[in-house]
């Protein structure tokens, strides 16, 4: 049997044959690269929901089964048994590090965590109370000016240096963005602290003051980073690859990804979850909002439930639910916000309206509550996402760069505008 698919144009009876490609996992793919030259037609696929735009060895998702893997490793194993630096190393190097490799990687990131002092002028240029994501995106874009030599790289060791530099500096830039947005004194990285601990330290500390970071707090945030490290070809990752296809500076590609991630339907979703919980306010109002969510004539929708990819449980949400409960127990939080969230979750997991529609709590529902428990402000939630996602973005960029040929991304369109209009005198 031929490994092809046949497309027949019923208007004229002509048939066209296209090869079927097979991956190591997941659906087969019909290669329609020659569709236009063969047929004179394009495909129409809103949001690329049925279109594979690249070959990749990094992340695999099965939305029907609720599976997520990085480099073949199940996400629950990585998040629960490994650290974020393990995950970052895995994404970059295709294998988990041994103890010596881990120690060297950790040390390298520490040494590269400081940013050029000239960048402080960029932070100074922003108005008071500027959103940290705006400061972060602009600062990462500016980082390309400080490392212009990364524009043209041909050797793996050059990619590796570039990747470690951006992974190391993103938490520092993120923390500085927060401090400047609040008018707080800048806290520099502490080389005696680990990657995730250092970020919390830069967020919370004040000059000449000891900051107490509980191990469970560091572990909780580290888990959030790991679960957000990559997620296949989502909007921001596709943006990074799209800009990368133009041969732009890799840090400009990351800045573009940050812009895409900022949207409330993407990286800003967990901030939206918390704002909605705050809007509901108390447990006695939950039933009213649940009724609104079920009303098809009411525009209100519960945020943090269901997922575009996962038609089953979000595997990341399962991990975060356990971590969230452990964090709350150990640091002794029993706020009204947590009570509201627990009541909504209880209803959603048992109400046929939500169950029949696979509207289970997703990663944003639990991550937002974890970040809130850690005392991280709502407008920093997407920034946290950026720190976690950077290893995935830069690994995707490297994978694109190492392919034999890079074809600039250029989607087609279905034009529905005016035709041949006559100029009016």
């Amino acid at each position: 049997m031929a490994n092809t698919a046949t497309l027949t144009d019923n208007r004229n009876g002509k048939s066209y044959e296209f090869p079927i490609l097979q991956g190591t996992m997941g659906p087969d793919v019909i290669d329609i690269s020659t569709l236009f030259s063969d047929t004179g037609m394009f495909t129409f696929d809103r949001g690329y929901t049925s279109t594979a735009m690249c070959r990749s060895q990094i992340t695999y998702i099965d939305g029907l089964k609720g599976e997520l893997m990085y480099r073949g490793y199940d996400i629950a194993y990585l998040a629960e048994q490994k650290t974020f630096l393990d995950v970052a190393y895995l994404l970059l190097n295709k294998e988990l590090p041994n103890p010596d490799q881990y120690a060297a990687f950790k040390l390298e990131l520490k040494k590269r965590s400081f940013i050029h002092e000239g960048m402080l002028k960029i932070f100074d240029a922003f108005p008071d109370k500027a959103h940290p994501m705006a400061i972060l995106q602009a600062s990462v874009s500016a980082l390309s000016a400080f490392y212009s030599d990364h524009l043209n790289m041909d050797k793996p060791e050059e990619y590796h240096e570039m990747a470690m530099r951006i992974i190391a500096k993103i938490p520092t830039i993120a923390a500085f963005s927060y401090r400047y947005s609040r008018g707080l004194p800048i806290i520099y990285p502490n080389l005696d602290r680990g990657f995730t601990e250092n970020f919390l330290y830069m967020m919370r500390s004040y000059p000449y003051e000891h900051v107490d970071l509980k191990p469970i707090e560091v572990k909780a945030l580290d888990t959030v980073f790991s679960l957000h490290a990559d997620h296949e070809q989502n909007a921001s990752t596709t943006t990074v690859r799209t800009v990368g296809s133009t041969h732009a500076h890799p840090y400009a590609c990351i800045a573009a990804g940050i812009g895409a991630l900022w949207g409330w339907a993407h990286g800003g979703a967990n901030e939206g979850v918390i704002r909605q919980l705050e809007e509901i306010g108390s447990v006695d109002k939950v039933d009213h909002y649940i009724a609104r969510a079920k009303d098809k004539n009411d525009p209100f929708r519960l945020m943090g439930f269901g997922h575009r990819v996962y038609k089953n449980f979000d595997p990341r949400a399962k991990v975060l639910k356990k971590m969230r409960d452990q964090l709350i127990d150990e640091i002794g939080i029993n706020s009204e916000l947590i009570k509201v969230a627990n009541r909504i979750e209880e209803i959603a997991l048992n109400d046929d309206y939500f169950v029949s529609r696979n509207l289970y709590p997703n990663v944003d529902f639990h991550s937002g509550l974890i970040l809130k428990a850690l005392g991280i402000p709502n407008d920093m939630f997407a920034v946290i996402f950026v720190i976690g996602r950077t290893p995935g973005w830069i690994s995707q960029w490297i994978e694109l760069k190492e392919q034999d040929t890079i074809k600039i991304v250029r989607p087609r369109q279905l034009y529905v505008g005016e035709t041949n209009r006559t100029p009016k005198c």
Side-chain angles (χ1 to χ4, degrees):
M1 182 182 295
N3 208 25
T4 60
T6 300
L7 170 68
T8 300
D9 185 343
N10 293 322
R11 298 171 301 179
N12 54 29
K14 289 184 178 180
S15 293
Y16 309 89
E17 203 167 79
F18 300 97
I20 295 176
L21 308 179
Q22 295 176 314
T24 54
M25 297 179 73
D28 293 342
V29 175
I30 302 172
D31 183 355
I32 58 168
S33 302
T34 62
L35 179 71
F36 178 64
S37 60
D38 290 348
T39 70
M41 295 184 288
F42 304 138
T43 58
F44 184 64
D45 182 17
R46 285 191 180 93
Y48 305 134
T49 56
S50 298
T51 299
M53 58 88 68
C54 66
R55 287 181 169 91
S56 183
Q57 300 177 359
I58 298 172
T59 299
Y60 173 75
I61 297 173
D62 188 323
L64 296 177
K65 295 180 180 178
E67 293 179 345
L68 170 61
M69 300 178 186
Y70 298 160
R71 302 284 190 190
Y73 288 101
D74 181 70
I75 189 62
Y77 163 73
L78 293 172
E80 295 174 347
Q81 304 298 323
K82 298 295 180 179
T83 69
F84 176 62
L85 292 192
D86 283 310
V87 170
Y89 187 96
L90 171 67
L91 293 175
L92 289 173
N93 298 286
K94 304 179 183 178
E95 299 290 346
L96 286 168
N98 61 39
D100 290 341
Q101 291 168 330
Y102 183 90
F105 186 60
K106 182 178 179 180
L107 179 61
E108 188 71 16
L109 292 181
K110 281 185 178 183
K111 292 191 297 184
R112 295 186 182 278
S113 61
F114 291 85
I115 62 173
H116 194 289
E117 289 290 301
M119 289 191 66
L120 298 182
K121 298 176 184 177
I122 298 171
F123 294 102
D124 280 331
F126 281 88
D128 293 342
K129 298 183 179 179
H131 198 290
M133 279 290 277
I135 303 174
L136 178 65
Q137 184 179 15
S139 300
V140 171
S141 181
L143 200 63
S144 62
F146 289 88
Y147 300 99
S148 57
D149 55 320
H150 288 332
L151 181 59
N152 296 301
M153 295 178 291
D154 298 310
K155 300 175 181 178
E157 55 268 27
E158 294 175 329
Y159 303 151
H160 193 67
E161 179 184 41
M162 175 275 300
M164 289 195 295
R165 179 169 280 142
I166 189 68
I167 292 170
K169 295 185 188 306
I170 282 283
T172 305
I173 297 173
F176 282 19
S177 298
Y178 164 71
R179 307 289 296 201
Y180 267 90
S181 72
R182 299 300 197 273
L184 299 173
I186 294 301
I187 301 297
Y188 285 89
N190 185 331
L191 296 183
D192 293 330
R193 298 177 182 272
F195 183 91
T196 301
E197 180 188 12
N198 209 3
F199 173 71
L200 278 175
Y201 164 77
M202 289 188 287
M203 284 281 291
R204 293 185 183 179
S205 187
Y206 283 86
Y208 315 111
E209 181 180 274
H210 172 73
V211 59
D212 180 32
L213 297 174
K214 297 179 176 64
I216 185 61
E217 294 181 298
V218 176
K219 174 58 179 173
L221 185 56
D222 200 75
T223 302
V224 170
F225 287 160
S226 293
L227 293 172
H228 287 87
D230 198 60
H231 207 236
E232 210 214 55
Q233 302 310 312
N234 52 76
S236 56
T237 300
T238 299
T239 298
V240 171
R241 278 186 173 262
T242 298
V243 179
S245 75
T246 71
H247 299 272
H249 193 289
Y251 295 165
C253 300
I254 298 299
I258 292 172
L261 190 75
W262 193 355
W264 67 263
H266 192 8
N270 53 7
E271 180 180 346
V273 168
I274 295 301
R275 294 195 187 283
Q276 190 172 89
L277 293 176
E278 291 171 339
E279 176 189 342
I280 296 171
S282 62
V283 174
D284 59 356
K285 295 180 181 178
V286 169
D287 289 345
H288 169 69
Y289 280 90
I290 291 292
R292 288 187 62 190
K294 293 180 179 181
D295 185 354
K296 65 180 180 181
N297 296 317
D298 193 317
F300 177 82
R301 293 292 180 267
L302 276 180
M303 298 196 69
F305 290 83
H307 194 278
R308 179 172 176 176
V309 172
Y310 299 110
K311 305 309 176 186
N312 199 316
F313 271 100
D314 183 337
R316 302 167 299 172
K318 290 183 178 181
V319 176
L320 279 189
K321 173 65 165 62
K322 290 189 288 185
M323 178 54 64
R324 187 199 86 182
D325 292 344
Q326 185 181 353
L327 173 67
I328 291 170
D329 287 344
E330 291 198 26
I331 63 178
I333 293 179
N334 190 26
S335 68
E336 189 67 20
L337 200 70
I338 297 297
K339 294 176 182 177
V340 170
N342 287 340
R343 177 57 182 154
I344 292 174
E345 184 178 15
E346 179 186 6
I347 293 173
L349 292 176
N350 293 282
D351 190 308
D352 184 64
Y353 176 88
F354 295 96
V355 174
S356 64
R357 292 168 172 77
N358 295 315
L359 296 177
Y360 300 109
N362 61 33
V363 68
D364 299 312
F365 185 77
H366 295 302
S367 65
L369 289 166
I370 285 177
L371 298 180
K372 196 70 175 178
L374 291 173
I376 294 173
N378 293 359
D379 60 1
M380 280 293 291
F381 285 9
V383 174
I384 298 295
F385 203 149
V386 171
I387 298 173
R389 184 53 56 87
T390 298
W393 281 338
I394 210 64
S395 297
Q396 296 272 353
W397 183 92
I398 290 172
E399 184 175 67
L400 171 71
K401 184 73 173 178
E402 289 181 338
Q403 292 174 350
D404 293 337
T405 57
I406 301 178
K407 194 165 187 176
I408 187 170
V409 174
R410 194 359 178 137
R412 302 294 189 164
Q413 67 173 19
L414 175 63
Y415 179 72
V416 293
E418 299 288 346
T419 62
N420 300 320
R421 302 177 78 175
T422 302
K424 295 180 181 180
C425 297

